Amino acid sequence: MIGIVTDSMSCLTEQDCITYNVELVRAKCIINSKAIPDTVGEYAGAMSEARTAPPSSADYYKTFAKLTSEGVDILCITTSAKVSMSYANACIAARAVGNSRIAIIDSGATAGALYLLIRTCRELEESGAGFGDIVSIISNQKRNLNISFSMKDLSSIIRSGKLLSPSAYIHVPIMDQRPVCTFEGGGKLVLKETAAGSLNELRALVSEHHSPRRIVVHYSESDMHLYELTSMLRRRFPNADIIKRKVSLTVRTTMGEGILGVFSYGMGE
């Protein structure tokens, strides 16, 4: 079995890691100078001044060395290099381990994108595909991902420095408008549009997706907004497998409150 490694911004739970046999390398959330390992669990304290730190190269080295000692091929899928040092640190660790059978793939996104790619990897492996073929297919499949997500406002992302599109600073949403973002340009996080009102926001989130077989819906709060989004997706894509997943602490810290995200493969999955 291939050894799969990913970062905690994938929002995988402990059960996911068991189900798909995944090694999770955790980022950290820094709150009041205290480093808290990234998790999808609840955190009751104030997060207004929180910041995040990616998994270190030492964290990756430890995981790669363990899997190398077990004699398995290693596939590591990370959050976009445009928004996190996770990919760069994984590459540093792979060189230090010196195992030629380690493949590092930059997903060009985060969260549900990693989950979808990992599931595809295991399905390919079950079908009999070899390590080289799986690496090649996953590297190509990431281009078929469709991604849209929204949050209450852009303040947390702007503070974190993760939003790289200059237009985002010009078109800051006002009043009841909510920003709808995506990943473009090799993993760059960009503001796609601003939506006035809940219905327009949900329509904007859904419009990016086309005939998907599998959809991951991410959220920070389980509320009516989430229910309405899921219902809209079910009506539009009645045959799709829709998986609801809570975001991790570092994703919430970076994006702020009111997060809704939709991740899917488009036509041709």
Side-chain angles (χ1 to χ4, degrees):
M1 179 176 282
I2 293 172
I4 298 180
V5 180
T6 193
D7 56 54
S8 60
M9 289 80 81
S10 61
C11 307
L12 294 184
T13 64
E14 291 184 8
Q15 184 57 53
D16 291 328
C17 293
I18 294 170
T19 301
Y20 302 109
N21 196 11
V22 175
E23 296 284 344
L24 192 67
V25 184
R26 295 187 184 277
K28 295 178 178 63
C29 188
I30 315 300
I31 303 176
N32 296 325
S33 300
K34 182 180 179 181
I36 300 172
D38 194 17
T39 176
V40 294
E42 296 291 339
Y43 180 79
M47 298 177 60
S48 58
E49 300 300 323
R51 59 187 179 85
T52 62
S56 69
S57 55
D59 294 330
Y60 275 113
Y61 181 90
K62 186 176 180 181
T63 301
F64 292 161
K66 170 182 173 291
L67 292 173
T68 296
S69 70
E70 296 172 1
V72 299
D73 295 326
I74 302 169
L75 174 58
C76 177
I77 306 174
T78 74
T79 288
S80 169
K82 297 286 188 180
V83 299
S84 171
M85 288 294 293
S86 182
Y87 173 77
N89 289 342
C91 290
I92 292 169
R95 290 193 294 269
V97 170
N99 180 353
S100 63
R101 301 292 289 180
I102 301 178
I104 314 293
I105 295 178
D106 174 0
S107 71
T110 192
L114 303 180
Y115 173 85
L116 288 170
L117 293 174
I118 287 167
R119 284 195 59 170
T120 300
C121 177
R122 286 301 184 213
E123 289 165 356
L124 289 168
E125 191 175 26
E126 289 173 4
S127 73
F131 179 66
D133 288 335
I134 289 174
V135 172
S136 177
I137 293 169
I138 294 298
S139 297
N140 290 321
Q141 275 286 64
K142 70 179 188 178
R143 300 184 181 94
N144 294 326
L145 289 168
N146 292 312
I147 300 162
S148 56
F149 52 94
S150 63
M151 68 291 296
K152 182 179 179 181
D153 56 50
L154 291 174
S155 58
S156 293
I157 286 184
I158 291 175
R159 186 176 67 248
S160 70
K162 296 294 193 300
L163 194 57
L164 305 181
S165 170
S167 64
Y169 298 91
I170 299 172
H171 303 291
V172 174
I174 58 174
M175 297 180 68
D176 65 341
Q177 293 181 340
R178 286 170 61 98
V180 179
C181 302
T182 189
F183 284 92
E184 293 179 352
K188 181 185 293 186
L189 179 60
V190 297
L191 175 66
K192 179 178 174 286
E193 63 179 277
T194 58
S198 174
L199 183 58
N200 286 330
E201 176 192 358
L202 298 182
R203 285 172 175 166
L205 288 171
V206 172
S207 67
E208 290 293 304
H209 304 271
H210 312 282
S211 303
R213 177 170 67 88
R214 184 175 291 152
I215 303 170
V216 176
V217 177
H218 274 294
Y219 64 94
S220 54
E221 292 88 30
S222 182
D223 55 15
M224 185 56 67
H225 214 41
L226 171 65
Y227 173 80
E228 291 171 349
L229 173 60
T230 305
S231 297
M232 186 178 289
L233 287 166
R234 291 194 189 283
R235 288 194 299 272
R236 182 162 181 176
F237 309 115
N239 298 319
D241 179 19
I242 299 178
I243 306 147
K244 292 188 290 186
R245 306 180 62 78
K246 194 172 180 65
V247 297
S248 72
L249 188 59
T250 55
V251 173
R252 181 180 160 200
T253 299
T254 300
M255 296 177 60
E257 302 302 326
I259 300 168
L260 285 175
V262 184
F263 297 75
S264 74
Y265 282 124
M267 296 175 66
E269 180 188 8

